[in-house]
Amino acid sequence: DTYLKLEDVTCKFNKPCIMDVKIGQKSYDPYASAEKIQQQVSKYPLMEEIGFLVLGMRVYHVSSDSYETQNQHYGRSLTKETVKDGISKFFHNGYCLRKDAIAASIQKIEKILEWFEGQKQLNFYASSLLFVYEGSCQATTVRLSDVTLAEKRGVPKGLLSGGDILEYNNNIHVINSTENGKIEASVSKGLSKFYALHKKAYSKRHHSQLSLKVENLEQDNVWKSSTCITQEHLNGNVIPQLEKVFCHMPAEIKESADVEVRMIDFAHVFPSNTKDEGYIYGLKNLITVLQNILDN
C-alpha cells in the first residue's frame, strides 16, 4: 500500500505562530451539487472576489508569553477593507510588526505561484496554505565591540575586522518579561551606530551576503549600558526606539526569518489541462495584501 505521510511542520519551532489560509476563488469542486455550491458560497461570499480566506490563526505574544487564537469566524468577518489589518494581526507579536516574517512569507508564496504558473495538470479546490514562523526571541546580543573595531580600523562598511560579513540575527532579544513584573531592555548608545552601519552596508551588498555577528546573551554578559525599565516607562521613548531598530529594519535585510509556507488539504484536487487560474488569482491577491502591510 502507498501512504501519504504528513509532516509536523511546527516541530522545529519553539513558539510557532500558525495561520491557515484557504486559497482560490472557489471552495467547491467542479462536480459539487447546487446545494453544496450554495453552502460554500454563503460561508464567504467574498471568496471569489478576494481569492483567499483566513481559516484561523494562533499568534504568540512576547509581551504576555501567551497565544492569541482566532477561529474561522474571525476570517469570515473580514471584508475587502479590513482583510489587510486582519492578516497583519498574525504578524504582530504584541510589541511590533514582524516585517521579517512577512517578507519571508512573500518569498515562499512567490515560489508556489511560480509552480502554479508553469503547470497545467492539476486544479486545487478548498486547499490551503499553512504559515508558520518562530514567535519567540532567543536571548542574543550584538558584538558591538566588533562593529566599533571595524569602524576604528577603517574596514569597509559591512565587513568586520577579519573580513567577516556583518550578520543580522532576526531573533535578537530586546525585551524580557521578568518575575517582578518589570521589563528589562538591553539598550546601548551603539544601537544607532550599528543600525546606520548595517543599513549602509546593505546598500553595497546583496541581502543574501549581509549578516551581523551575534552571540548568546549570558546572564553576566549584558551590555554595560543596559537599564531596567519599569511598566510606567513603556509609553516613553525607549520602546519605540528599540522597535525602530529591531522591528522595522528594512524588509530586505530581515528576509532570513525562519518561516514555513506549505500547501495543505488536498481532498479536492482534479486533473486539468489548463492553469489553475482561481488558485493563481488568490496567491497574487494574498501577495499584494502582504506587500501592502510591509510597505505601510
Side-chain angles (χ1 to χ4, degrees):
D1 294 327
T2 302
Y3 295 90
L4 178 64
K5 184 177 180 180
L6 298 182
E7 175 189 358
D8 179 4
V9 182
T10 68
C11 67
K12 69 176 182 177
F13 296 92
N14 181 32
K15 298 290 185 181
C17 296
I18 309 166
M19 178 170 65
D20 184 333
V21 182
K22 184 183 291 187
I23 304 293
Q25 291 178 283
K26 298 178 180 178
S27 56
Y28 54 88
D29 62 61
Y31 301 100
S33 64
E35 182 182 359
K36 179 69 173 179
I37 293 175
Q38 179 58 36
Q39 178 192 46
Q40 291 298 315
V41 171
S42 63
K43 284 183 176 179
Y44 194 58
L46 284 175
M47 189 78 179
E48 186 171 359
E49 186 174 353
I50 295 178
F52 61 86
L53 165 64
V54 177
L55 291 178
M57 65 176 69
R58 184 169 176 259
V59 188
Y60 177 72
H61 283 181
V62 180
S63 53
S64 60
D65 187 26
S66 62
Y67 281 95
E68 177 183 353
T69 303
Q70 302 290 349
N71 61 22
Q72 59 180 316
H73 298 294
Y74 170 80
R76 297 185 196 283
S77 70
L78 299 177
T79 65
K80 290 186 295 182
E81 291 73 27
T82 62
V83 68
K84 174 185 168 184
D85 291 335
I87 290 181
S88 67
K89 196 181 190 75
F90 173 64
F91 295 99
H92 203 287
N93 65 5
Y95 280 125
C96 61
L97 190 66
R98 285 288 303 277
K99 288 194 171 187
D100 56 333
I102 300 174
S105 295
I106 292 174
Q107 283 194 337
K108 301 276 187 177
I109 301 172
E110 286 176 339
K111 289 182 179 179
I112 295 174
L113 175 61
E114 183 180 352
W115 182 83
F116 269 92
E117 292 278 19
Q119 71 90 22
K120 297 181 180 180
Q121 295 178 320
L122 301 170
N123 279 3
F124 292 72
Y125 300 91
S127 183
S128 294
L129 290 185
L130 183 72
F131 292 77
V132 187
Y133 73 87
E134 180 56 63
S136 68
C137 297
Q138 296 176 351
T140 55
T141 184
V142 182
R143 288 167 57 181
L144 292 176
S145 57
D146 281 346
V147 178
T148 305
L149 187 61
E151 285 180 326
K152 286 182 178 179
R153 294 187 179 182
V155 177
K157 301 297 184 182
L159 293 177
L160 296 180
S161 56
D164 298 327
I165 297 172
L166 286 172
E167 233 177 6
Y168 174 74
N169 186 318
N170 159 61
N171 288 326
I172 289 181
H173 187 60
V174 180
I175 304 168
N176 250 352
S177 293
T178 56
E179 292 180 2
N180 60 5
K182 293 183 179 181
I183 292 179
E184 287 186 6
S186 296
V187 187
S188 171
K189 294 179 181 179
L191 280 178
S192 58
K193 284 187 177 181
F194 153 65
Y195 179 64
L197 173 64
H198 192 58
K199 188 173 183 181
K200 191 168 184 179
Y202 175 73
S203 66
K204 295 185 178 182
R205 292 187 165 270
H206 190 270
H207 55 74
S208 65
Q209 295 176 309
L210 184 64
S211 45
L212 169 71
K213 282 195 171 181
V214 297
E215 61 187 8
N216 288 333
L217 178 64
E218 300 174 356
Q219 280 187 316
D220 56 350
N221 191 29
V222 183
W223 291 338
K224 291 181 180 180
S225 57
S226 65
T227 56
C228 188
I229 304 170
T230 55
Q231 193 70 30
E232 54 267 24
H233 290 130
L234 282 176
N235 295 324
N237 294 323
V238 177
I239 300 303
Q241 288 173 0
L242 291 174
E243 287 185 352
K244 183 177 181 180
V245 173
F246 290 107
C247 298
H248 299 286
M249 277 281 204
E252 296 88 347
I253 292 177
K254 303 196 299 176
E255 62 187 339
S256 59
D258 196 1
V259 175
E260 292 284 356
V261 179
R262 303 290 190 92
M263 292 177 62
I264 61 172
D265 299 340
F266 307 115
H268 303 277
V269 180
F270 293 83
S272 174
N273 55 9
T274 62
K275 288 183 179 180
D276 190 341
E277 297 295 348
Y279 202 102
I280 291 173
Y281 177 86
L283 290 177
K284 288 183 176 180
N285 265 10
L286 182 55
I287 290 173
T288 299
V289 170
L290 290 174
Q291 192 62 55
N292 284 339
I293 295 172
L294 201 59
D295 295 339
N296 299 318

